[in-house]
Amino acid sequence: MSILKVTDLHAGYGDVKILRGVEIEVCVDEIVTVIGPNGAGKSTLLKAIFGLISISGGRIHFDGEEITGLGPNLLVRRGISFVPQSDHVFPRLTVHENLQMGAFVSRGPMDEALARVYELFPPLQERRKTLTGLLSGGQRQMVAIGRALMLSPKLLLLDEPTAGLSPLYAKLVLDKVQEINAGGVAILMIEQNARAALAISDRGYVLTMGKNRVDGEARRLLADREVAELFLGG
């Protein structure tokens, strides 16, 4: 069953049109990865879904309802969380305070949500009183993802979650993406390490110049010679 369906999406920045009819679908139990060259519109796609840029055409449906044009403040209440590639933590707040900020629209107690995040990322529990700006890049990414999980989303949007991380932390983050998905959260991910991302995904999409080029089961894309040569480093 589909939890997210993007149909004929057109979006961009002012007069600059980036997305030109993109089609994406994510089912409730899936990890879906979008790959493609720089400038293909991958990050723009996530921003459009999350209401951060204007949409000039097409429709977005989430959990059976149309959400086209809704802002982030409404989308997080409906069950969508977004972890951008940069500027995704408050460096002058502690780890614990950053996580609390993730539940800013919640009216109930957040103890259970905090416990789940600390269980998922044990190093954060150990450093809960540390200023986030003093953490390593991998630990800051844990904080960013943990904060996005504080409202128990149905869909998590991840923009380059391993960008700039050491191989050890990159693997750890992708392992945690699988664990989050196994806990009932659908994932739509953009990832620079396309091969590693597709290896843990159910399906994938290739975007070029703001349009769909290829899509299908992740294992089929990994085995596709043309996709490998053009987008997976051979």
Side-chain angles (χ1 to χ4, degrees), residues 17-85:
K17 304 304 178 187
I18 306 296
L19 303 180
R20 302 178 175 90
V22 171
E23 309 261 345
I24 296 285
E25 185 171 9
V26 180
C27 292
V28 293
D29 58 349
E30 284 188 320
I31 299 175
V32 173
T33 293
V34 180
I35 66 173
N38 292 338
K42 304 184 298 296
S43 293
T44 301
L45 170 64
L46 295 191
K47 291 175 182 177
I49 293 170
F50 200 59
L52 293 172
I53 61 173
S54 60
I55 294 170
S56 57
R59 294 287 183 268
I60 303 173
H61 287 83
F62 172 71
D63 205 16
E65 297 182 358
E66 184 169 356
I67 60 168
T68 313
L70 294 185
N73 60 320
L74 297 176
L75 296 177
V76 294
R77 295 174 187 272
R78 289 176 180 243
I80 303 177
S81 288
F82 175 45
V83 181
Q85 182 178 350

Side-chain angles (χ1 to χ4, degrees), residues 88-101:
H88 53 334
V89 295
F90 300 102
R92 296 185 180 181
L93 297 182
T94 67
V95 168
H96 196 72
E97 289 167 338
N98 264 274
L99 296 179
Q100 289 177 316
M101 289 293 291

